[in-house]
Amino acid sequence: MSITIHTSFLPHTDAEASLAFYRDVLGFEVRLDVGYADMRWITVGAPGQDSAIVLHPATVSGTGLTEEEAAMIEQLIAKGSYFSINLASDDLDADFERIAGLGAEVVQEPIDQDYGVRDAAFRDPAGNLIRMQQKG
């Protein structure tokens, strides 16, 4: 099969806070940091991997959203119920301790799930749910 995952998207509500989290807390490299009109999107990814995450504004003016709709979207993001991503780690417990120690909001400490994976969860600065599971 030649289809791969190239890029996924997560919204940010504060570009600088998200940049600091993905770069300084998770250790991702910044591949693009683009400002265009009143938008800013940042492409980050794990070193040595082709796949990437585009951190983009949660709402953009000119898309027809009402202020009420934009506020609702930001509330859903803050609750971690709008977007999420699943990361993997060679050493979940060590990475979890490091990430939690750097101030990430912990949602779930590492546990062995009934369905066969060991995982943990935290939120990024926008509120997106970040799940991380043990590789292998």
Side-chain angles (χ1 to χ4, degrees):
M1 184 168 158
S2 63
I3 299 172
T4 61
I5 296 173
H6 180 264
T7 307
S8 59
F9 290 78
L10 286 176
H12 70 67
T13 54
D14 178 332
E16 287 301 320
S18 289
L19 173 62
F21 178 79
Y22 284 89
R23 181 192 59 209
D24 303 336
V25 175
L26 294 185
F28 286 2
E29 60 189 18
V30 178
R31 297 182 183 161
L32 284 174
D33 189 342
V34 179
Y36 183 81
D38 61 347
M39 295 185 297
R40 181 178 176 196
W41 63 90
I42 304 160
T43 304
V44 296
Q49 293 189 341
D50 292 334
S51 59
I53 301 169
V54 177
L55 305 167
H56 63 89
T59 58
V60 178
S61 62
T63 57
L65 290 175
T66 65
E67 286 185 27
E68 186 175 86
E69 291 167 333
M72 175 66 75
I73 289 171
E74 290 189 7
Q75 288 173 357
L76 291 171
I77 293 168
K79 292 180 178 178
S81 59
Y82 197 64
F83 283 96
S84 63
I85 193 162
N86 195 21
L87 305 176
S89 167
D90 290 329
D91 189 341
L92 173 66
D93 293 280
D95 282 332
F96 177 84
E97 289 302 320
R98 183 181 59 77
I99 292 166
L102 291 171
E105 179 186 347
V106 173
V107 175
Q108 174 204 301
E109 294 192 11
I111 60 171
D112 294 319
Q113 300 286 0
D114 293 341
Y115 44 86
V117 299
R118 181 169 180 76
D119 70 356
F122 46 91
R123 294 187 198 283
D124 75 4
N128 295 304
L129 183 64
I130 310 293
R131 297 202 68 85
M132 182 178 288
Q133 69 182 54
Q134 178 68 44
K135 283 185 183 175

